[in-house]
Amino acid sequence: MKAPLADLSRRITWWLAAAAAIGVTAWHLPGSFRATDRTVSAVAGKSRLERELLPARAYDIATEPFVAAQKEIPPGATFAFATGTGIQVSSPLVLDKAPLFAAYWLLPRRMTPDPHRADWVVSYGADLKSLGLAYDHVVDVLPGAAVAEVNR
Amino acid sequence: MTGSPGGLVGLDIGLLAVGEALLLGFGLVRSARSAVRFAGLAFMAGWAATGIVLSIALMAGLDLTVPLVVVCWGVVAGAGVLAGLRVPSRLSLAARERNWTGRGIAAAGALLLATQLAMLLRRALASGPLQPDVWNFWLPKAKSIYYFGGLDTGVGGFTSFTHAEYPPLAPVADSASFRFMGAPDVLLLPVQHWVLAVAFFAALAGLLAERVRPAILWPSLAMLALMPKLESVVGSLLGDEPLAELFVLAGLAAALWLLESDRRLLALAALFLAAATLAKNEGLMLAIVLVVVLTAAAAGRRNRLEAVAVAAAPLLAAVSWRLWLGANDVSNKDADYRLGDLFDPGYLSSHSGRLWTAFRDLPDYVFAPDRALLAIPLLLLVAAVLVCREPRLAAFSVATPLVALVGYLAIYWIGKPEIHFYLDSSAERVTAAPVLLGAALFPLLLQSARPSSGGGRFT
């Protein structure tokens, strides 16, 4: 009597597992499709450049200095990214993340932590004069943001 | 910069061709029919082997160029064809449904899987938003290889980004994609990762088809494809994405070895584990967990030492990367943990609060239905039914994901970042590999536990 009972309980468990797998998948299906729609609509109507800059926008980082730096600094040149309080930011995280985004976005330009070893300086709220460098030319991008070529 | 999708097609044809040659060496491919059935597995094997060989080539100081990729393909394909001359064929047939009900269920599952893969493609095409780790170091490393040739240790080079100590396979593979696209197009790159995900599902189907009937296989794969955990990693460009796919395939090959004792399946597992080790630091931990559990599950069998031999591939991969790091004086100052702390009782005791927090929070990332669709509870349930009939398979399928999760608990215990931040920023993705393995083994267990099933292979 014990064996048929054990067999029956195994059968019930098996069917329960199969039904639960189908049930939980069906339950998740509409949410999954809605999430896909949300992902697609988040970039709808955005230009290629705007989409590439979205990681910075997610942290409320102003993107104009990066676009200007990409235009001004030649590929392969070395640059330093200086941050400071001279620019309005929505949170302190902006000043932490901006240099990381610069190192990524401005490749193949090479970011160095030492402004004295850089051909260019990108200022994101920093006082360019306080770095003790002379500049060939300075492009002001935003109040508090500039791209400057170091005079060597 | 806009890349060429045509270039990616060329890359993918090359990866598929080299993978087919490798599977010829493993005895899996011997005819056009078997080449089609194992096309997904071939792609994944070709991708893994190419990633390993290119990583080693770059560690040796070579620059990543299209000709180098082609030469690497030649070497791998040549080795596969040569092995194929000696290795006997592994003939197997895919299971079939005998009645219309079964065929209908299988077709509905396959349709749902195809629909979800199309949804994942829509997400990949809507690229732009990136997770912080992707633009902090995964993509910059890939771009630096593209622009500067190899593993540049200079200013702004490969080792200048966060986590310089992470192994190079994922950035190397992305950089190869950039090379074939003709530009470092980060908006097109997720499509290549989607192709990898499609190949991953095709690989699972190819491996499982001989043991799992279609009415169980296709709905189970659809469930796996719909798992939020999988949706969050596919196309994310995180290292966790290839790591999870490689670990799952290694785990499935190992589980099939337990049932068949065919050492060619172990060779396949070794290949995927070596690639996983070079994809992310945790890859070695996951490889060790898998080998230890596999060896324990094979206890009492004469060939259990074959399972131990699998560890050689990931260990060699890890040693090669450690040697490169040492030779280039690359510090691991950004490392989130120091393994040595695991053996320091004082450190462990002073950080015991971290263990408790992780122990309390981590299960939600594994068991919550809105994260993992009950994959692990269902696995435990079916394993309980199966434990008398196939104890080794049941034990391996349950223990591998659970021991891997214990490994992650240990990492959170000794980790340096603040524990709540650490969990919030990483637990969702690091739990992907063990949970997805559990979900991928679910159809195999369900078939084996089926009341009227003999649990055998179709030959």
Side-chain angles (χ1 to χ4, degrees), chain B residues 185-236:
Chain B
D185 186 344
V186 297
L187 297 183
L188 184 58
L189 190 60
V191 175
Q192 175 64 6
H193 283 245
W194 174 80
V195 172
L196 201 66
V198 172
F200 168 69
F201 278 97
L204 292 178
L207 280 171
L208 287 167
E210 64 193 45
R211 286 196 162 266
V212 183
R213 56 181 282 203
I216 291 175
L217 174 64
W218 294 108
S220 299
L221 291 182
M223 180 180 85
L224 176 60
L226 276 155
M227 276 179 63
K229 223 168 248 305
L230 182 120
E231 290 174 331
S232 67
V233 292
V234 169
S236 67

CSV table of all heavy atoms in Angstrom, one decimal, chain B residues 185-236:
chain,number,residue,atom,x,y,z
B,185,ASP,N,31.3,51.0,-31.8
B,185,ASP,CA,29.9,51.4,-31.8
B,185,ASP,C,29.2,50.8,-30.6
B,185,ASP,O,28.8,49.6,-30.6
B,185,ASP,CB,29.2,51.0,-33.1
B,185,ASP,CG,27.8,51.6,-33.2
B,185,ASP,OD1,27.2,52.0,-32.1
B,185,ASP,OD2,27.2,51.6,-34.3
B,186,VAL,N,29.1,51.6,-29.5
B,186,VAL,CA,28.5,51.0,-28.3
B,186,VAL,C,27.0,50.8,-28.3
B,186,VAL,O,26.4,50.1,-27.5
B,186,VAL,CB,28.9,51.9,-27.0
B,186,VAL,CG1,30.3,51.9,-26.8
B,186,VAL,CG2,28.3,53.3,-27.1
B,187,LEU,N,26.4,51.4,-29.3
B,187,LEU,CA,24.9,51.3,-29.5
B,187,LEU,C,24.6,50.0,-30.2
B,187,LEU,O,23.5,49.4,-30.1
B,187,LEU,CB,24.3,52.5,-30.2
B,187,LEU,CG,24.4,53.8,-29.4
B,187,LEU,CD1,23.7,54.9,-30.2
B,187,LEU,CD2,23.8,53.7,-28.0
B,188,LEU,N,25.5,49.5,-31.1
B,188,LEU,CA,25.3,48.3,-31.9
B,188,LEU,C,25.8,47.1,-31.1
B,188,LEU,O,25.3,46.0,-31.3
B,188,LEU,CB,26.1,48.4,-33.2
B,188,LEU,CG,25.9,47.3,-34.2
B,188,LEU,CD1,24.5,47.1,-34.6
B,188,LEU,CD2,26.8,47.5,-35.5
B,189,LEU,N,26.7,47.3,-30.1
B,189,LEU,CA,27.3,46.1,-29.4
B,189,LEU,C,26.2,45.3,-28.7
B,189,LEU,O,26.4,44.0,-28.7
B,189,LEU,CB,28.3,46.7,-28.4
B,189,LEU,CG,29.2,45.6,-27.7
B,189,LEU,CD1,30.0,44.8,-28.7
B,189,LEU,CD2,30.1,46.3,-26.7
B,190,PRO,N,25.2,45.8,-28.1
B,190,PRO,CA,24.2,45.0,-27.4
B,190,PRO,C,23.6,43.9,-28.4
B,190,PRO,O,23.1,42.9,-27.9
B,190,PRO,CB,23.2,45.9,-26.9
B,190,PRO,CG,23.9,47.2,-26.7
B,190,PRO,CD,24.9,47.3,-27.8
B,191,VAL,N,23.5,44.3,-29.7
B,191,VAL,CA,23.0,43.3,-30.6
B,191,VAL,C,23.8,42.1,-30.7
B,191,VAL,O,23.4,40.9,-30.8
B,191,VAL,CB,22.8,44.0,-32.0
B,191,VAL,CG1,22.3,43.0,-33.1
B,191,VAL,CG2,21.8,45.2,-31.9
B,192,GLN,N,25.2,42.3,-30.7
B,192,GLN,CA,26.1,41.1,-30.7
B,192,GLN,C,25.9,40.3,-29.4
B,192,GLN,O,25.9,39.1,-29.5
B,192,GLN,CB,27.5,41.6,-30.8
B,192,GLN,CG,28.6,40.5,-30.7
B,192,GLN,CD,28.5,39.5,-31.8
B,192,GLN,OE1,27.8,39.7,-32.8
B,192,GLN,NE2,29.3,38.5,-31.7
B,193,HIS,N,25.6,41.0,-28.3
B,193,HIS,CA,25.4,40.2,-27.1
B,193,HIS,C,24.0,39.5,-27.1
B,193,HIS,O,23.9,38.4,-26.6
B,193,HIS,CB,25.4,41.2,-25.9
B,193,HIS,CG,26.8,41.6,-25.5
B,193,HIS,ND1,27.3,41.2,-24.3
B,193,HIS,CD2,27.7,42.2,-26.1
B,193,HIS,CE1,28.6,41.7,-24.2
B,193,HIS,NE2,28.8,42.3,-25.3
B,194,TRP,N,23.1,40.0,-27.9
B,194,TRP,CA,21.8,39.4,-28.1
B,194,TRP,C,22.0,38.1,-28.9
B,194,TRP,O,21.4,37.0,-28.6
B,194,TRP,CB,20.8,40.3,-28.8
B,194,TRP,CG,19.5,39.6,-29.2
B,194,TRP,CD1,18.5,39.3,-28.3
B,194,TRP,CD2,19.2,39.1,-30.5
B,194,TRP,NE1,17.5,38.7,-29.0
B,194,TRP,CE2,17.9,38.5,-30.3
B,194,TRP,CE3,19.8,39.1,-31.7
B,194,TRP,CZ2,17.2,37.9,-31.4
B,194,TRP,CZ3,19.2,38.5,-32.8
B,194,TRP,CH2,17.9,37.9,-32.6
B,195,VAL,N,22.9,38.2,-30.0
B,195,VAL,CA,23.2,37.0,-30.8
B,195,VAL,C,23.8,35.9,-29.9
B,195,VAL,O,23.4,34.7,-30.0
B,195,VAL,CB,24.2,37.4,-31.9
B,195,VAL,CG1,24.7,36.1,-32.6
B,195,VAL,CG2,23.5,38.4,-32.9
B,196,LEU,N,24.6,36.3,-28.9
B,196,LEU,CA,25.2,35.4,-28.0
B,196,LEU,C,24.1,34.7,-27.2
B,196,LEU,O,24.2,33.5,-26.9
B,196,LEU,CB,26.2,36.1,-27.1
B,196,LEU,CG,27.3,35.3,-26.4
B,196,LEU,CD1,28.2,34.6,-27.4
B,196,LEU,CD2,28.1,36.1,-25.4
B,197,ALA,N,23.1,35.5,-26.8
B,197,ALA,CA,22.0,35.0,-25.9
B,197,ALA,C,21.2,34.0,-26.7
B,197,ALA,O,20.8,32.9,-26.2
B,197,ALA,CB,21.2,36.1,-25.4
B,198,VAL,N,20.9,34.3,-28.0
B,198,VAL,CA,20.2,33.4,-28.9
B,198,VAL,C,21.0,32.0,-29.0
B,198,VAL,O,20.4,31.0,-28.9
B,198,VAL,CB,19.9,34.0,-30.3
B,198,VAL,CG1,19.3,33.0,-31.2
B,198,VAL,CG2,19.0,35.2,-30.1
B,199,ALA,N,22.3,32.2,-29.2
B,199,ALA,CA,23.1,31.0,-29.3
B,199,ALA,C,23.1,30.2,-28.0
B,199,ALA,O,23.1,28.9,-28.0
B,199,ALA,CB,24.5,31.4,-29.7
B,200,PHE,N,23.1,30.9,-26.9
B,200,PHE,CA,23.0,30.2,-25.6
B,200,PHE,C,21.7,29.4,-25.5
B,200,PHE,O,21.8,28.2,-25.1
B,200,PHE,CB,23.0,31.3,-24.5
B,200,PHE,CG,22.7,30.9,-23.1
B,200,PHE,CD1,23.5,30.1,-22.4
B,200,PHE,CD2,21.5,31.3,-22.5
B,200,PHE,CE1,23.2,29.7,-21.1
B,200,PHE,CE2,21.2,30.9,-21.2
B,200,PHE,CZ,22.0,30.1,-20.5
B,201,PHE,N,20.6,29.9,-25.9
B,201,PHE,CA,19.4,29.1,-25.8
B,201,PHE,C,19.4,28.0,-26.8
B,201,PHE,O,18.9,26.9,-26.5
B,201,PHE,CB,18.1,30.0,-26.1
B,201,PHE,CG,17.7,30.8,-24.8
B,201,PHE,CD1,18.1,32.1,-24.6
B,201,PHE,CD2,17.0,30.1,-23.9
B,201,PHE,CE1,17.8,32.7,-23.4
B,201,PHE,CE2,16.6,30.8,-22.7
B,201,PHE,CZ,17.0,32.1,-22.5
B,202,ALA,N,19.9,28.2,-28.0
B,202,ALA,CA,20.1,27.1,-29.0
B,202,ALA,C,21.0,26.0,-28.4
B,202,ALA,O,20.8,24.8,-28.7
B,202,ALA,CB,20.6,27.7,-30.3
B,203,ALA,N,22.0,26.5,-27.7
B,203,ALA,CA,23.0,25.5,-27.2
B,203,ALA,C,22.3,24.6,-26.1
B,203,ALA,O,22.5,23.4,-26.1
B,203,ALA,CB,24.2,26.2,-26.5
B,204,LEU,N,21.5,25.3,-25.2
B,204,LEU,CA,20.8,24.5,-24.2
B,204,LEU,C,19.8,23.5,-24.9
B,204,LEU,O,19.7,22.4,-24.5
B,204,LEU,CB,20.0,25.5,-23.3
B,204,LEU,CG,20.8,26.4,-22.4
B,204,LEU,CD1,19.8,27.3,-21.6
B,204,LEU,CD2,21.6,25.6,-21.4
B,205,ALA,N,19.1,24.0,-25.9
B,205,ALA,CA,18.2,23.1,-26.6
B,205,ALA,C,18.9,21.9,-27.2
B,205,ALA,O,18.5,20.8,-27.1
B,205,ALA,CB,17.4,23.9,-27.7
B,206,GLY,N,20.0,22.2,-27.9
B,206,GLY,CA,20.8,21.2,-28.5
B,206,GLY,C,21.3,20.1,-27.5
B,206,GLY,O,21.2,18.9,-27.8
B,207,LEU,N,21.8,20.6,-26.4
B,207,LEU,CA,22.3,19.6,-25.4
B,207,LEU,C,21.1,18.8,-24.7
B,207,LEU,O,21.3,17.6,-24.4
B,207,LEU,CB,23.1,20.3,-24.3
B,207,LEU,CG,24.5,20.7,-24.6
B,207,LEU,CD1,25.1,21.6,-23.6
B,207,LEU,CD2,25.4,19.5,-24.8
B,208,LEU,N,20.0,19.5,-24.5
B,208,LEU,CA,18.9,18.9,-23.7
B,208,LEU,C,18.0,18.0,-24.6
B,208,LEU,O,17.3,17.1,-24.1
B,208,LEU,CB,18.1,19.9,-23.0
B,208,LEU,CG,18.7,20.6,-21.8
B,208,LEU,CD1,17.9,21.9,-21.4
B,208,LEU,CD2,18.8,19.7,-20.6
B,209,ALA,N,18.0,18.3,-25.9
B,209,ALA,CA,17.0,17.6,-26.8
B,209,ALA,C,17.1,16.1,-26.8
B,209,ALA,O,16.1,15.5,-27.0
B,209,ALA,CB,17.3,18.1,-28.2
B,210,GLU,N,18.2,15.6,-26.5
B,210,GLU,CA,18.3,14.1,-26.5
B,210,GLU,C,17.8,13.4,-25.2
B,210,GLU,O,17.5,12.2,-25.2
B,210,GLU,CB,19.7,13.6,-26.7
B,210,GLU,CG,20.7,14.0,-25.6
B,210,GLU,CD,22.1,13.8,-26.1
B,210,GLU,OE1,22.5,14.2,-27.2
B,210,GLU,OE2,22.9,13.2,-25.3
B,211,ARG,N,17.5,14.2,-24.2
B,211,ARG,CA,17.1,13.7,-22.9
B,211,ARG,C,15.7,14.2,-22.5
B,211,ARG,O,15.1,13.6,-21.6
B,211,ARG,CB,18.1,13.9,-21.8
B,211,ARG,CG,19.3,13.1,-21.9
B,211,ARG,CD,20.1,13.0,-20.7
B,211,ARG,NE,21.0,11.9,-20.7
B,211,ARG,CZ,20.7,10.7,-20.1
B,211,ARG,NH1,19.6,10.5,-19.5
B,211,ARG,NH2,21.6,9.7,-20.2
B,212,VAL,N,15.3,15.3,-23.0
B,212,VAL,CA,14.1,16.0,-22.6
B,212,VAL,C,13.1,16.1,-23.7
B,212,VAL,O,13.5,16.6,-24.8
B,212,VAL,CB,14.4,17.4,-22.0
B,212,VAL,CG1,13.2,18.1,-21.5
B,212,VAL,CG2,15.5,17.3,-21.0
B,213,ARG,N,11.9,15.6,-23.5
B,213,ARG,CA,10.9,15.7,-24.6
B,213,ARG,C,10.5,17.1,-24.9
B,213,ARG,O,10.5,18.0,-24.0
B,213,ARG,CB,9.7,14.8,-24.3
B,213,ARG,CG,9.0,15.1,-23.0
B,213,ARG,CD,7.9,14.2,-22.8
B,213,ARG,NE,6.7,14.7,-23.6
B,213,ARG,CZ,5.5,14.4,-23.3
B,213,ARG,NH1,5.2,13.6,-22.2
B,213,ARG,NH2,4.5,14.8,-24.0
B,214,PRO,N,10.2,17.4,-26.1
B,214,PRO,CA,9.9,18.8,-26.5
B,214,PRO,C,8.8,19.5,-25.7
B,214,PRO,O,8.9,20.7,-25.4
B,214,PRO,CB,9.5,18.7,-28.0
B,214,PRO,CG,10.1,17.5,-28.5
B,214,PRO,CD,10.1,16.5,-27.3
B,215,ALA,N,7.8,18.8,-25.2
B,215,ALA,CA,6.7,19.4,-24.5
B,215,ALA,C,7.2,19.9,-23.1
B,215,ALA,O,6.6,20.7,-22.5
B,215,ALA,CB,5.6,18.4,-24.3
B,216,ILE,N,8.3,19.4,-22.6
B,216,ILE,CA,9.0,19.9,-21.4
B,216,ILE,C,10.1,20.9,-21.7
B,216,ILE,O,10.2,22.0,-21.1
B,216,ILE,CB,9.5,18.7,-20.6
B,216,ILE,CG1,8.4,17.9,-20.0
B,216,ILE,CG2,10.4,19.2,-19.4
B,216,ILE,CD1,8.8,16.6,-19.3
B,217,LEU,N,10.8,20.6,-22.8
B,217,LEU,CA,12.0,21.4,-23.1
B,217,LEU,C,11.6,22.9,-23.5
B,217,LEU,O,12.2,23.8,-22.9
B,217,LEU,CB,12.8,20.8,-24.3
B,217,LEU,CG,14.0,21.5,-24.8
B,217,LEU,CD1,15.0,21.7,-23.8
B,217,LEU,CD2,14.5,20.9,-26.1
B,218,TRP,N,10.7,23.0,-24.5
B,218,TRP,CA,10.5,24.4,-25.0
B,218,TRP,C,9.8,25.3,-24.0
B,218,TRP,O,10.2,26.4,-23.8
B,218,TRP,CB,9.8,24.3,-26.3
B,218,TRP,CG,10.7,23.7,-27.4
B,218,TRP,CD1,10.6,22.4,-27.9
B,218,TRP,CD2,11.9,24.2,-27.9
B,218,TRP,NE1,11.6,22.2,-28.8
B,218,TRP,CE2,12.4,23.3,-28.8
B,218,TRP,CE3,12.6,25.4,-27.8
B,218,TRP,CZ2,13.6,23.5,-29.5
B,218,TRP,CZ3,13.7,25.7,-28.5
B,218,TRP,CH2,14.3,24.7,-29.4
B,219,PRO,N,8.8,24.8,-23.3
B,219,PRO,CA,8.2,25.7,-22.3
B,219,PRO,C,9.2,26.1,-21.2
B,219,PRO,O,9.2,27.2,-20.6
B,219,PRO,CB,7.0,24.9,-21.7
B,219,PRO,CG,6.7,24.0,-22.8
B,219,PRO,CD,8.0,23.6,-23.4
B,220,SER,N,10.1,25.1,-20.8
B,220,SER,CA,11.1,25.4,-19.8
B,220,SER,C,12.1,26.5,-20.2
B,220,SER,O,12.5,27.3,-19.5
B,220,SER,CB,11.9,24.1,-19.4
B,220,SER,OG,11.0,23.2,-18.9
B,221,LEU,N,12.5,26.4,-21.5
B,221,LEU,CA,13.4,27.4,-22.0
B,221,LEU,C,12.7,28.7,-22.1
B,221,LEU,O,13.4,29.8,-21.9
B,221,LEU,CB,14.0,27.0,-23.4
B,221,LEU,CG,14.9,25.7,-23.4
B,221,LEU,CD1,15.4,25.5,-24.8
B,221,LEU,CD2,16.1,26.0,-22.4
B,222,ALA,N,11.4,28.7,-22.4
B,222,ALA,CA,10.7,30.0,-22.5
B,222,ALA,C,10.6,30.6,-21.1
B,222,ALA,O,10.8,31.8,-20.9
B,222,ALA,CB,9.2,29.7,-23.0
B,223,MET,N,10.4,29.7,-20.0
B,223,MET,CA,10.5,30.3,-18.7
B,223,MET,C,11.8,30.9,-18.3
B,223,MET,O,11.9,32.0,-17.8
B,223,MET,CB,10.2,29.1,-17.7
B,223,MET,CG,10.2,29.6,-16.2
B,223,MET,SD,9.9,28.3,-15.0
B,223,MET,CE,11.5,27.6,-14.7
B,224,LEU,N,12.9,30.2,-18.7
B,224,LEU,CA,14.3,30.7,-18.5
B,224,LEU,C,14.4,32.1,-19.2
B,224,LEU,O,15.0,33.0,-18.6
B,224,LEU,CB,15.3,29.7,-19.0
B,224,LEU,CG,16.8,30.1,-18.9
B,224,LEU,CD1,17.2,30.3,-17.5
B,224,LEU,CD2,17.6,29.0,-19.5
B,225,ALA,N,13.9,32.2,-20.5
B,225,ALA,CA,14.1,33.4,-21.2
B,225,ALA,C,13.3,34.6,-20.6
B,225,ALA,O,13.7,35.7,-20.8
B,225,ALA,CB,13.7,33.2,-22.7
B,226,LEU,N,12.2,34.2,-19.9
B,226,LEU,CA,11.4,35.3,-19.3
B,226,LEU,C,11.8,35.7,-17.9
B,226,LEU,O,11.3,36.5,-17.3
B,226,LEU,CB,9.9,34.8,-19.3
B,226,LEU,CG,9.2,35.1,-20.6
B,226,LEU,CD1,8.0,34.1,-20.8
B,226,LEU,CD2,8.7,36.5,-20.7
B,227,MET,N,12.9,35.0,-17.4
B,227,MET,CA,13.3,35.3,-16.0
B,227,MET,C,13.8,36.7,-16.0
B,227,MET,O,14.7,37.1,-16.7
B,227,MET,CB,14.4,34.3,-15.5
B,227,MET,CG,13.8,33.0,-15.0
B,227,MET,SD,15.1,31.9,-14.5
B,227,MET,CE,15.8,32.8,-13.2
B,228,PRO,N,13.3,37.5,-15.0
B,228,PRO,CA,13.8,38.9,-14.9
B,228,PRO,C,15.4,39.0,-14.8
B,228,PRO,O,16.0,39.9,-15.3
B,228,PRO,CB,13.1,39.5,-13.7
B,228,PRO,CG,11.9,38.6,-13.6
B,228,PRO,CD,12.2,37.3,-14.1
B,229,LYS,N,15.9,38.0,-14.1
B,229,LYS,CA,17.3,37.9,-13.9
B,229,LYS,C,18.1,37.8,-15.2
B,229,LYS,O,19.1,38.4,-15.4
B,229,LYS,CB,17.7,36.7,-13.0
B,229,LYS,CG,18.7,37.1,-11.9
B,229,LYS,CD,18.8,36.0,-10.9
B,229,LYS,CE,18.3,36.5,-9.6
B,229,LYS,NZ,18.9,37.7,-9.1
B,230,LEU,N,17.5,37.0,-16.1
B,230,LEU,CA,18.1,36.9,-17.4
B,230,LEU,C,17.9,38.2,-18.3
B,230,LEU,O,18.8,38.7,-18.9
B,230,LEU,CB,17.6,35.7,-18.2
B,230,LEU,CG,18.3,35.5,-19.5
B,230,LEU,CD1,19.0,34.1,-19.6
B,230,LEU,CD2,17.3,35.6,-20.7
B,231,GLU,N,16.7,38.7,-18.2
B,231,GLU,CA,16.4,39.9,-18.9
B,231,GLU,C,17.3,41.1,-18.5
B,231,GLU,O,17.7,41.9,-19.4
B,231,GLU,CB,14.9,40.3,-18.7
B,231,GLU,CG,13.9,39.4,-19.3
B,231,GLU,CD,12.5,39.8,-18.8
B,231,GLU,OE1,12.3,40.3,-17.7
B,231,GLU,OE2,11.5,39.5,-19.6
B,232,SER,N,17.7,41.1,-17.2
B,232,SER,CA,18.5,42.2,-16.8
B,232,SER,C,20.0,42.1,-17.2
B,232,SER,O,20.7,43.1,-17.3
B,232,SER,CB,18.4,42.3,-15.3
B,232,SER,OG,19.1,41.2,-14.7
B,233,VAL,N,20.4,40.8,-17.5
B,233,VAL,CA,21.9,40.7,-17.9
B,233,VAL,C,22.0,40.7,-19.5
B,233,VAL,O,23.1,41.2,-20.0
B,233,VAL,CB,22.6,39.5,-17.3
B,233,VAL,CG1,22.8,39.7,-15.8
B,233,VAL,CG2,22.0,38.2,-17.7
B,234,VAL,N,21.1,40.2,-20.2
B,234,VAL,CA,21.3,40.1,-21.7
B,234,VAL,C,21.3,41.5,-22.3
B,234,VAL,O,20.4,42.3,-22.1
B,234,VAL,CB,20.1,39.2,-22.3
B,234,VAL,CG1,20.2,39.4,-23.8
B,234,VAL,CG2,20.3,37.8,-21.9
B,235,GLY,N,22.4,41.7,-23.0
B,235,GLY,CA,22.6,43.0,-23.6
B,235,GLY,C,23.0,44.1,-22.7
B,235,GLY,O,23.1,45.3,-23.1
B,236,SER,N,23.3,43.8,-21.4
B,236,SER,CA,23.7,44.8,-20.4
B,236,SER,C,25.2,45.2,-20.7
B,236,SER,O,25.6,46.3,-20.2
B,236,SER,CB,23.6,44.2,-19.0
B,236,SER,OG,24.5,43.2,-18.8
